[in-house]
């Protein structure tokens, strides 16, 4: 049995190690943020800890480099690909979780294996398809490219949540006259969230 004072030292040592780990993880973020509020000449001297903050760097970023248009593009592409991946992946996951069909597990495994495909393996075919469809350098192309990798992941993740919902709930909803779409939207999705 460990004496009481040794237990206390072990607890203190754990907290000190945890504090050091948190410091090591948070300090680079703190340093990056404080550096962004320094004048450019102060950024070359990392030992300056006390300074008058400035927003000149952010002003220069948004005025000189037109970052707002690029940020808007990123938001459109990210939101579009995430929403479409959730919708398409959710429908696929619901099909895999609630229906029985031949080769179901093989198809589910094949979908997941698409995540393992190196991105460079599909660059040339995607370029040729995009060039033929005249969608090069568009937001739509990036959304579709992200979907090729995110839909299988979303389907695989959501399938586990849909499998946990008892079939009896869906059967009861069907007895009450609910369609498959109503079951998915009113029962399965709210319960899986």
């Amino acid at each position: 049995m460990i004496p009481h004072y040794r237990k206390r030292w072990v607890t203190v040592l754990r907290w000190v190690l945890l504090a050091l780990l948190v410091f090591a993880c948070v300090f680079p973020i703190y340093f990056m943020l404080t550096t962004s509020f320094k004048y450019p000449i102060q950024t070359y001297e990392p030992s300056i800890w006390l300074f008058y903050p400035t927003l000149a760097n952010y002003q220069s970023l948004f005025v000189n480099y037109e970052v707002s248009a690029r940020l808007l593009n990123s938001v459109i592409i990210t939101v579009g690909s995430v929403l479409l991946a959730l919708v398409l992946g959710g429908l696929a996951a619901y099909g895999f979780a609630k229906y029985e069909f031949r080769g179901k597990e093989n198809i589910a495994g094949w979908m997941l294996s698409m995540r393992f495909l190196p991105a460079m393996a599909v660059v040339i075919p995607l370029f040729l398809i995009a060039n033929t469809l005249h969608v090069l350098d568009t937001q739509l192309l990036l959304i579709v490219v992200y979907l090729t990798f995110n839909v299988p992941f979303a389907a695989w993740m959501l399938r586990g949540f849909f499998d946990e919902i008892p079939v009896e709930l869906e059967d009861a909803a069907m007895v009450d006259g609910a369609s498959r779409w109503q079951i998915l939207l009113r029962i399965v999705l709210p319960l899986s969230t």
Side-chain angles (χ1 to χ4, degrees), residues 131-154:
N131 193 28
T132 303
L133 296 174
H134 304 292
V135 291
L136 282 178
D137 201 25
T138 62
Q139 296 167 343
L140 176 65
L141 177 65
L142 271 178
I143 290 172
V144 170
V145 168
Y146 291 148
L147 283 177
T148 59
F149 293 99
N150 292 338
V151 168
F153 180 71

Side-chain angles (χ1 to χ4, degrees), residues 49-164:
W49 292 98
L50 298 174
F51 60 91
Y52 293 107
T54 179
L55 292 174
N57 297 325
Y58 290 100
Q59 181 182 4
S60 171
L61 185 69
F62 282 95
V63 172
N64 298 338
Y65 297 103
E66 300 174 11
V67 170
S68 55
R70 294 182 177 118
L71 282 175
L72 181 62
N73 277 342
S74 294
V75 167
I76 290 169
I77 291 165
T78 302
V79 169
S81 65
V82 167
L83 289 178
L84 282 172
L86 282 175
V87 168
L88 297 173
L91 292 173
Y94 184 70
F96 285 126
K98 301 300 180 181
Y99 291 106
E100 290 299 326
F101 52 91
R102 197 175 75 176
K104 177 172 91 168
E105 295 304 320
N106 290 337
I107 295 171
W110 174 79
M111 276 187 68
L112 183 63
S113 71
M114 295 300 289
R115 285 287 295 172
F116 307 136
L117 189 67
M120 296 310 292
V122 295
V123 167
I124 293 175
L126 280 175
F127 173 78
L128 294 174
I129 292 169
N131 193 28
T132 303
L133 296 174
H134 304 292
V135 291
L136 282 178
D137 201 25
T138 62
Q139 296 167 343
L140 176 65
L141 177 65
L142 271 178
I143 290 172
V144 170
V145 168
Y146 291 148
L147 283 177
T148 59
F149 293 99
N150 292 338
V151 168
F153 180 71
W156 194 263
M157 290 298 293
L158 291 173
R159 181 184 178 185
F161 290 107
F162 294 165
D163 278 335
E164 295 295 320

